[in-house]
Amino acid sequence: MMKKLLPKKFAIALVALSALGATACVHQDAPGVGVVKFDSSAVFGIEPEDKAPVPDFEVPLGTDFQLPDVPLVRKDLNAVPDGPCPAAKLTAFPKTSATPRVEGQPPEGVFKWKRDLVEAKDATITPPKLQALPFALEGRAIRRVTKISDHHFSFEMLAPDAFVPGNTIVTGFEVNTNPQLLAEKNVAARTIGVVNIPGTDVRVANPSDAPGIFINSIEVQNDKGIRVSSFHPVQPMLIAPLEGGLLRSGQQFRSVGIDELSGAAITNDGVVGRTSRVDACGEIVEGYAISLHQSLSDDIQAQLSGDPEGTVLREATRQQTREVSYTFATQYGALPIAETLALGDFENDAVAALGKWELGALTPTPLPDSVK
């Protein structure tokens, strides 16, 4: 088995919202309380590869991570080999196009996913290390699809943690497609003095029934099935607006998630992209891409120097930034079909990481009883 790629505190900062992105703000749970273990290799018969030991990575406290200026796909990993994951033909098109409205609910089951790339850099040691995990197939499960109302449902996605092998990330999603708007109008462009003010669209939804795609929880469990960390925002954290029940390409938005126990906060500056296509091992699947620039702020405690008993602590605020993206197949109930994560700048930061994951098959296998 491959030894852990990153120590716990760095891996938690990466898996967040995902897988991705939000567990950097976590609180520790009591031992013995957790979700069931999800073993993708048992489902697909994909045996883990033996790899050389990878050194632990340490994230310097108080470091602000800048935006990476490197492509997510490196070493020409777009060339998918023949065999278990053939490449789609150049003439292939999706069977069903993505729709501005979310249609139906995602199917439950275990989906094949491609780990296109995971890279991590540690320049705090001599000589500097750059580690990369190659292309691989893994399993992700969609479970507990629950109808809340005629336009509101929830579901969970289970994914293996690439940064701490053996861990599983459980992300809770909510989707509210409420089409009702309390107010909708266009404010025309105008000039006040010498200042030009562009036109804007104003849409106001019912705050008690706000539409959108949300994350309501992220939990991480270890290989023994014990929950080791969690992020539960007081209010579900918006990651894609559905104003009037519609995804609107080009729309910019801001949202905040505040953990109910630790008080850690994630601020998202997001934009709804155009439709994007994923090569799911020979089958083209289309979805809407959502890009998020995230800022994490939380309080950390450090022992004061000269205190041998370790009882005197000081509070400090930690800031991190990262880039996260999701692609949702709206025609299949907002099924997630792609994720990317970028933390740090490989050129300038001592510690950085990149990850890219995509759907590998649109048809799932049944959920094992152990993960239902």
Side-chain angles (χ1 to χ4, degrees):
M1 292 295 291
M2 181 175 62
K3 294 185 178 180
K4 75 174 184 178
L5 179 62
L6 305 175
K8 179 179 175 183
K9 66 178 180 180
F10 185 41
I12 288 177
L14 294 175
V15 295
L17 292 169
S18 197
L20 355 132
T23 54
C25 49
V26 300
H27 56 265
Q28 299 301 315
D29 293 299
V33 180
V35 295
V36 296
K37 180 181 178 183
F38 173 57
D39 186 353
S40 62
S41 64
V43 176
F44 292 111
I46 304 170
E47 294 297 333
E49 303 177 48
D50 291 331
K51 304 237 178 247
V54 178
D56 286 347
F57 293 171
E58 294 293 336
V59 179
L61 298 182
T63 299
D64 288 333
F65 293 103
Q66 304 301 314
L67 304 186
D69 190 22
V70 293
L72 279 175
V73 178
R74 298 149 68 99
K75 302 182 180 67
D76 195 25
L77 291 179
N78 278 322
V80 179
D82 293 333
C85 188
K89 297 180 179 179
L90 295 177
T91 56
F93 289 90
K95 294 180 180 178
T96 306
S97 299
T99 54
R101 295 184 184 275
V102 175
E103 305 289 346
Q105 298 176 356
E108 291 190 343
V110 179
F111 291 82
K112 184 189 301 180
W113 273 63
K114 303 180 300 181
R115 185 186 68 200
D116 277 353
L117 176 73
V118 172
E119 289 194 1
K121 165 194 172 183
D122 181 14
T124 64
I125 60 176
T126 304
K129 295 290 185 180
L130 176 64
Q131 300 292 334
L133 300 181
F135 176 91
L137 296 176
E138 61 187 29
R140 293 197 179 196
I142 299 295
R143 70 174 187 181
R144 298 178 182 174
V145 179
T146 304
K147 181 179 179 180
I148 300 173
S149 73
D150 60 348
H151 57 261
H152 190 185
F153 62 91
S154 63
F155 65 93
E156 290 182 348
M157 179 172 69
L158 280 66
D161 184 349
F163 300 103
V164 183
N167 280 5
T168 299
I169 305 165
V170 183
T171 305
F173 291 92
E174 286 189 23
V175 181
N176 188 333
T177 62
N178 182 13
Q180 181 182 7
L181 289 173
L182 301 182
E184 182 176 16
K185 66 178 181 178
N186 177 267
V187 179
R190 60 198 186 280
T191 301
I192 300 179
V194 296
V195 179
N196 294 322
I197 301 176
T200 57
D201 293 325
V202 178
R203 290 180 287 268
V204 179
N206 184 348
S208 64
D209 195 15
I213 301 174
F214 304 84
I215 285 179
N216 59 30
S217 66
I218 298 179
E219 297 181 350
V220 180
Q221 67 167 50
N222 63 18
D223 56 359
K224 296 179 175 61
I226 299 173
R227 184 184 300 127
V228 296
S229 66
S230 62
F231 171 75
H232 288 271
V234 177
Q235 297 291 334
M237 182 173 65
L238 178 71
I239 57 171
L242 291 172
E243 293 182 351
L246 299 175
L247 273 172
R248 305 172 189 267
S249 294
Q251 181 175 358
Q252 300 180 12
F253 63 96
R254 169 169 283 198
S255 66
V256 177
I258 302 176
D259 185 78
E260 59 185 1
L261 292 184
S262 70
I266 290 180
T267 300
N268 298 289
D269 289 298
V271 61
V272 179
R274 298 179 181 273
T275 54
S276 176
R277 293 179 178 179
V278 169
D279 182 353
C281 292
E283 182 176 8
I284 299 298
V285 183
E286 190 174 69
Y288 275 89
I290 311 296
S291 299
L292 301 169
H293 171 73
Q294 291 186 338
S295 298
L296 163 69
S297 176
D298 65 347
D299 291 331
I300 58 175
Q301 292 184 331
Q303 181 180 335
L304 287 174
S305 58
D307 177 29
E309 300 298 326
T311 56
V312 179
L313 300 174
R314 61 180 174 84
E315 294 284 344
T317 299
R318 175 174 53 183
Q319 300 286 339
Q320 286 183 353
T321 60
R322 53 185 176 248
E323 299 298 304
V324 179
S325 72
Y326 291 98
T327 301
F328 293 101
T330 49
Q331 71 277 34
Y332 302 118
L335 175 72
I337 61 172
E339 291 183 10
T340 63
L341 167 67
L343 173 64
D345 187 323
F346 270 74
E347 297 298 327
N348 301 312
D349 290 338
V351 178
L354 297 173
K356 181 180 180 181
W357 301 264
E358 291 183 340
L359 185 71
L362 185 56
T363 302
T365 58
L367 278 174
D369 291 338
S370 60
V371 300
K372 290 182 179 179

